[in-house]
């Protein structure tokens, strides 16, 4: 017929692919489609950030999600969530499907970042005054500056959208290239909580608590968590000065602002600490609290 052989080879290849896709689609159970519905919110986000095809849905979306999560079936997720670094306590707040997908998304986001510097905890300690200075910045400026400062310490950093079912405040992972990945969320919205959580994770890094991957769940309680909490408290506010302030018992707003000016910290940091330590009710000075909103939250 005078048609190039490559034309017929391509037709055959396309037919073989469509046949394979058809057979794979037919292997998708109603249970996997139900799991896909359970993951609707995070799947929408994965499409928004380009990790899944915007137009794909139904059985073909299950196939795409399998490939993204590196599983042969979405039904495997609960067993994988209980293994290794994904091990979690029994709690109704955790959805293993959401958690597994969220953690995989975090890995993919940080894998896209390329930095030459290996982890340098000494440089990280030197950077702490610069990191604290960002507490005075607008939130839309904070992530890029944190990313730049931490990259100089060998840390890949990102603030990732939170989803119900994955009660994680931070994830730290050792990478094969000698770098570290640090993922944060803005789950509780308030700036004082974010910065306490951030320096809590920095405490884990400085204290060398990470063997492979450390997932900081809200409900985790152990000695390493206590050390990281203490590091965050003392980094944000000088311990002796804070104790002296509390002993005076004057929690008026002018006194709070005067103390914060002396300590070079925003008032919301001290207000949040006083509330956590039950020296102030959570409704006090509500107008002074700062909220962080990540796009899409």
């Amino acid at each position: 017929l005078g048609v190039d052989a490559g034309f017929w080879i391509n037709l055959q290849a396309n037919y073989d692919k469509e046949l394979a896709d058809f057979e794979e689609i037919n292997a998708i159970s109603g249970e996997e489609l139900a799991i896909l519905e359970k993951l609707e919110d995070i799947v929408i986000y994965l499409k928004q950030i380009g990790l899944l095809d915007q137009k794909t849905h139904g059985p073909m979306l299950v196939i795409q999600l399998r490939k993204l999560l590196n599983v042969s079936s979405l039904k495997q997720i609960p067993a994988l969530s209980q293994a290794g670094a994904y091990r979690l306590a029994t709690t109704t707040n955790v959805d293993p499907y959401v958690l597994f997908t969220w953690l995989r998304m975090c890995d993919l986001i940080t894998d896209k970042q390329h930095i030459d510097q290996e982890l340098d905890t000494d440089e990280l300690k030197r950077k702490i005054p610069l990191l604290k200075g960002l507490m005075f910045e607008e939130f839309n400026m904070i992530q890029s500056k944190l990313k730049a400062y931490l990259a100089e310490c060998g840390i890949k950093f990102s603030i990732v959208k939170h989803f119900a079912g994955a009660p994680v405040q931070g994830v730290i992972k050792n990478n094969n290239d000698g770098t570290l990945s640090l993922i944060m969320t803005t789950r509780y919205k308030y700036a004082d909580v974010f910065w306490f959580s951030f320096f809590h994770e920095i405490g884990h890094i400085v204290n060398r608590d990470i063997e492979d991957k450390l997932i900081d769940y809200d409900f985790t309680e152990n000695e390493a968590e206590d050390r990281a909490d203490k590091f965050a408290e003392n980094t944000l506010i000088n311990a002796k000065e804070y104790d002296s302030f509390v002993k005076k018992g004057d929690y008026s707003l002018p006194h709070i602002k005067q103390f914060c000016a002396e300590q070079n910290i925003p008032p919301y940091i001290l207000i949040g600490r006083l509330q956590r330590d039950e020296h102030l009710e959570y409704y006090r000075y509500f107008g002074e609290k700062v909220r962080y909103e990540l796009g899409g939250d």
Side-chain angles (χ1 to χ4, degrees):
L1 298 174
V3 178
D4 188 270
F7 172 80
W8 302 110
I9 293 171
N10 286 336
L11 280 181
Q12 184 65 45
N14 289 337
Y15 171 77
D16 291 342
K17 182 181 182 302
E18 288 178 6
L19 183 61
D21 287 345
F22 178 79
E23 291 172 351
E24 192 169 15
I25 288 171
N26 282 332
I28 294 171
S29 67
E31 188 176 348
E32 277 195 282
L33 291 171
I35 293 168
L36 184 63
E37 288 186 22
K38 182 189 288 281
L39 294 171
E40 180 181 9
D41 289 344
I42 195 167
V43 163
I44 290 171
Y45 187 68
L46 288 168
K47 287 183 175 183
Q48 289 173 351
I49 63 176
L51 290 176
L52 289 174
D53 192 304
Q54 285 273 8
K55 297 181 180 179
T56 305
H57 62 279
M60 288 302 297
L61 185 55
V62 170
I63 293 171
Q64 272 198 21
L65 194 55
R66 285 175 180 174
K67 292 176 181 176
L68 187 77
L69 301 180
N70 198 26
V71 296
S72 59
S73 169
L74 301 183
K75 293 185 290 184
Q76 295 176 320
I77 289 176
L80 292 170
S81 293
Q82 289 293 338
Y86 297 96
R87 190 178 306 280
L88 50 97
T90 302
T91 168
T92 56
N93 294 330
V94 174
D95 184 315
Y97 298 101
V98 175
L99 176 64
F100 185 87
T101 305
W102 187 85
L103 289 169
R104 175 61 176 156
M105 176 182 69
C106 291
D107 285 343
L108 292 168
I109 288 171
T110 52
D111 285 348
K112 289 182 178 180
Q113 297 182 32
H114 300 286
I115 56 177
D116 298 324
Q117 172 66 50
E118 292 189 1
L119 177 64
D120 185 341
T121 53
D122 290 332
E123 179 61 23
L124 178 59
K125 293 173 188 176
R126 287 192 289 269
K127 282 278 196 298
I128 284 177
L130 278 175
L131 296 171
K132 286 182 66 176
L134 296 179
M135 296 188 298
F136 293 96
E137 301 253 0
E138 294 293 326
F139 184 59
N140 59 3
M141 301 293 294
I142 288 172
Q143 177 161 214
S144 61
K145 291 187 177 182
L146 281 175
K147 190 174 291 187
Y149 289 152
L150 293 175
E152 295 173 3
C153 306
I155 300 171
K156 300 176 181 181
F157 176 77
S158 191
I159 302 173
V160 176
K161 180 177 169 63
H162 160 261
F163 291 89
V168 179
Q169 64 181 21
V171 179
I172 310 172
K173 186 184 76 165
N174 278 314
N175 300 317
N176 294 331
D177 60 1
T179 66
L180 205 70
S181 293
L182 170 58
I183 293 286
M184 295 286 301
T185 72
T186 55
R187 184 176 179 222
Y188 290 110
K189 310 294 186 185
Y190 288 104
D192 62 297
V193 178
F194 173 83
W195 286 108
F196 181 85
S197 299
F198 174 77
F199 283 111
H200 173 100
E201 304 307 331
I202 296 299
H204 278 310
I205 296 170
V206 169
N207 295 334
R208 302 183 184 277
D209 293 330
I210 304 94
E211 294 180 6
D212 176 35
K213 176 180 282 188
L214 188 151
I215 304 171
D216 247 338
Y217 300 106
D218 289 351
F219 48 78
T220 306
E221 294 182 3
N222 54 45
E223 289 184 8
E225 294 302 307
D226 292 342
R227 288 197 305 271
D229 279 348
K230 187 60 65 177
F231 179 90
E233 289 175 357
N234 295 340
T235 298
L236 287 168
I237 307 175
N238 178 278
K240 282 188 176 181
E241 296 296 331
Y242 176 74
D243 289 342
S244 175
F245 178 88
V246 168
K247 284 177 182 177
K248 292 176 183 176
D250 180 1
Y251 304 134
S252 65
L253 192 55
H255 193 218
I256 287 173
K257 289 187 174 182
Q258 178 188 345
F259 177 84
C260 290
E262 294 168 355
Q263 292 288 307
N264 195 29
I265 58 173
Y268 67 75
I269 291 292
L270 177 58
I271 291 169
R273 173 73 179 275
L274 291 170
Q275 289 172 339
R276 281 193 301 275
D277 291 348
E278 299 183 349
H279 298 300
L280 283 179
E281 299 86 351
Y282 274 92
Y283 63 82
R284 290 282 298 278
Y285 308 130
F286 182 79
E288 297 293 324
K289 298 291 286 285
V290 173
R291 287 171 64 89
Y292 285 165
E293 298 285 346
L294 186 63
D297 272 12

